């Protein structure tokens, strides 16, 4: 009996379990840190958490600082592992249909280089698709940074804030401001 596939599956599931336990341990530690931070802010800086209860503060703190990659990598790895046999069957079933459109020489038989090329890039495409879908979900569900989220929880309207930013020096040298006299007139008033 060939144990190769069982060993590979055991390695994959061990990696997934270790990453998931890393994520869970980080969440537990961050929850304790958030509670300690909240009690410290109550004593030293109560204005920073005005109107925010402990549960909301803990949720914002943990959501902003947790290692989300340790949750999404196992999901992508498991999706690729589970879908690989199904796609292998589908690719093998489609190979005769694909080669029927060609001249059908003996070099298109299963096991030769064209078939190996087809299977290799089929699996690479599948694994890239799994990674892309999970990465898309990871980025779509990204939480807001902690400080803006805390400010929003306090009720500060961050959408109305306009950050004034001057043009960099290289941009001014590349294309001077169209109305430099209006700036000097504004400074003199």
């Amino acid at each position: 009996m060939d144990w190769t596939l069982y060993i590979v599956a055991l390695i994959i599931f061990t990696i997934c379990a270790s990453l998931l336990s890393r994520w869970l341990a980080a969440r537990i530690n961050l929850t304790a840190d958030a509670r300690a931070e909240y009690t410290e802010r109550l004593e030293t800086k109560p204005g920073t958490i005005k109107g925010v209860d402990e549960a909301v503060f803990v949720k914002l703190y943990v959501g902003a600082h947790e290692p989300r990659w340790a949750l999404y990598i196992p999901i992508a790895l498991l999706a690729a592992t589970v879908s690989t046999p199904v796609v292998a069957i589908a690719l093998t079933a489609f190979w005769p249909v694909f080669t029927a459109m060609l001249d059908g020489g003996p070099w298109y038989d299963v096991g030769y280089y064209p078939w190996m090329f087809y299977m290799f890039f089929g699996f690479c495409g599948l694994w890239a698709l799994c990674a892309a879908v999970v990465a898309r979900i990871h980025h779509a569900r990204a939480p807001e940074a902690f400080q803006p989220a805390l400010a929003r929880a306090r009720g500060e309207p961050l959408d109305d804030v306009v950050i004034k930013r001057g043009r960099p020096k290289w941009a001014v040298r590349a294309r001077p401001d169209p109305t430099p006299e209006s700036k000097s007139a504004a400074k003199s008033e």
Side-chain angles (χ1 to χ4, degrees):
M1 181 175 197
D2 188 21
W3 291 91
T4 307
L5 291 178
Y6 295 109
I7 292 171
V8 169
L10 180 66
I11 290 170
I12 288 171
F13 291 126
T14 303
I15 291 170
C16 290
S18 65
L19 286 172
L20 287 173
S21 63
R22 158 82 166 89
W23 172 77
L24 187 61
R27 278 192 66 92
I28 291 169
N29 290 336
L30 283 170
T31 303
D33 291 346
R35 288 194 176 111
E37 176 78 18
Y38 186 79
T39 56
E40 180 185 334
R41 283 182 184 231
L42 274 177
E43 296 169 0
T44 60
K45 303 181 268 185
T48 62
I49 55 170
K50 180 182 67 173
V52 179
D53 62 345
E54 185 179 10
V56 172
F57 184 84
V58 168
K59 179 184 174 196
L60 294 175
Y61 188 89
V62 171
H65 295 98
E66 71 179 331
R68 295 172 53 243
W69 59 269
L71 176 65
Y72 286 98
I73 288 176
I75 292 171
L77 189 56
L78 288 174
T81 303
V82 168
S83 61
T84 296
V86 175
V87 171
I89 292 168
L91 286 173
T92 305
F94 183 69
W95 181 247
V97 175
F98 180 68
T99 56
M101 294 182 279
L102 304 171
D103 63 356
W107 47 86
Y108 291 117
D109 289 341
V110 171
Y112 286 97
Y113 285 124
W115 179 81
M116 287 187 239
F117 183 84
Y118 165 80
M119 293 298 284
F120 174 77
F121 283 106
F123 287 139
C124 286
L126 165 72
W127 298 333
L129 178 68
C130 290
V133 167
V134 172
R136 176 71 182 115
I137 293 168
H138 175 269
H139 291 295
R141 296 177 47 102
E144 192 174 19
F146 178 66
Q147 294 299 336
L150 184 61
R152 197 178 308 280
R154 287 192 306 256
E156 297 175 10
L158 292 179
D159 295 334
D160 300 336
V161 175
V162 177
I163 299 172
K164 188 91 167 134
R165 183 175 159 248
R167 290 180 64 201
K169 290 181 182 178
W170 65 265
V172 175
R173 284 193 308 265
R175 187 175 354 161
D177 287 331
T179 57
E181 60 276 349
S182 65
K183 282 189 178 179
S184 61
K187 287 182 184 177
S188 64
E189 294 175 354

